[in-house]
Amino acid sequence: MTDAANALATAAATEYTPLQRAMILATVTFATMLYGMTVLIVTVILPQMQGTLSATTDQISWVMTLNIVATAVVTPMTGWFTQNFGRRRVMLFGVMGFTISTVFCGIAGSLETLILYRVFQGAFGAPLVPLANAIILDVYPRHQHGMATAVFGMGVVIGPVVGPVFGGILTELYNWRWAFFMIVPFGVLGFAG
């Protein structure tokens, strides 16, 4: 980085109070954690979805595969989206689209519609991780980057651990649809944050 770029980054980071920084860190970490939950939650509920939707093992695996493919396709587009629409809009649109797609995943009546909604879920959730990381690095001064990214990293890792556990419990108590429905209130909170 040049000296001018360092000065600009430092000036941008000093615009926020410590409370504002903490709120931004919590919000973007929370949104990213939700996305991480849904990526792996499906691995726990695949057998129940397979039975309900009368799908073969090969067919039901597309529920997870195409979500990952959609994520891989859309993630590199994050820079273009933020340049054209702004970080805030992309983040809000991503969280909103992800939450709505999650609702539709829970109410999907056929394998084809579930796969389609999982593709949307992956596409809307894909920009959340790189965008959240960029926001955190811009909000915090350079000397606090290590602490901020460590907190962000912890939150991102907790999602894939907690999601399958609670998703599996809800699936056993009710059915696989509740593994998706449990994410919706948190998605609304992430959007509000």
Side-chain angles (χ1 to χ4, degrees):
M1 261 185 163
T2 64
D3 290 335
N6 280 336
L8 186 59
T10 303
T14 57
E15 293 177 8
Y16 300 99
T17 66
L19 178 63
Q20 288 173 324
R21 285 189 195 117
M23 292 297 291
I24 291 169
L25 177 61
T27 301
V28 298
T29 301
F30 188 69
T32 306
M33 182 182 75
L34 291 174
Y35 172 70
M37 286 173 66
T38 59
V39 171
L40 291 180
I41 203 168
V42 174
T43 60
V44 176
I45 62 176
L46 277 177
Q48 289 84 356
M49 290 189 318
Q50 182 179 355
T52 302
L53 300 173
S54 300
T56 66
T57 305
D58 290 339
Q59 291 171 332
I60 203 68
S61 67
W62 285 104
V63 171
M64 188 156 183
T65 304
L66 288 181
N67 179 273
I68 294 169
V69 169
T71 300
V73 169
V74 176
T75 299
M77 296 184 211
T78 303
W80 183 85
F81 287 141
T82 56
Q83 281 182 341
N84 289 308
F85 303 110
R87 286 183 179 173
R88 185 168 188 254
R89 283 188 182 141
V90 173
M91 186 64 123
L92 288 173
F93 189 73
V95 171
M96 180 180 61
F98 171 79
T99 304
I100 292 169
S101 299
T102 302
V103 170
F104 284 124
C105 285
I107 61 174
S110 69
L111 178 65
E112 293 80 12
T113 56
L114 179 60
I115 290 172
L116 177 68
Y117 297 139
R118 284 287 289 168
V119 167
F120 288 143
Q121 197 180 43
F124 283 115
L128 298 181
V129 177
L131 186 56
N133 201 14
I135 289 170
I136 289 168
L137 293 177
D138 281 350
V139 167
Y140 279 87
R142 190 172 191 88
H143 69 278
Q144 291 182 329
H145 281 182
M147 179 275 306
T149 55
V151 171
F152 174 71
M154 252 186 345
V156 171
V157 170
I158 289 172
V161 172
V162 171
V165 171
F166 288 112
I169 291 170
L170 287 173
T171 299
E172 289 298 319
L173 293 176
Y174 303 106
N175 65 31
W176 62 267
R177 297 176 190 282
W178 284 95
F180 290 111
F181 293 149
M182 78 170 188
I183 295 169
V184 174
F186 298 110
V188 172
L189 285 175
F191 182 79

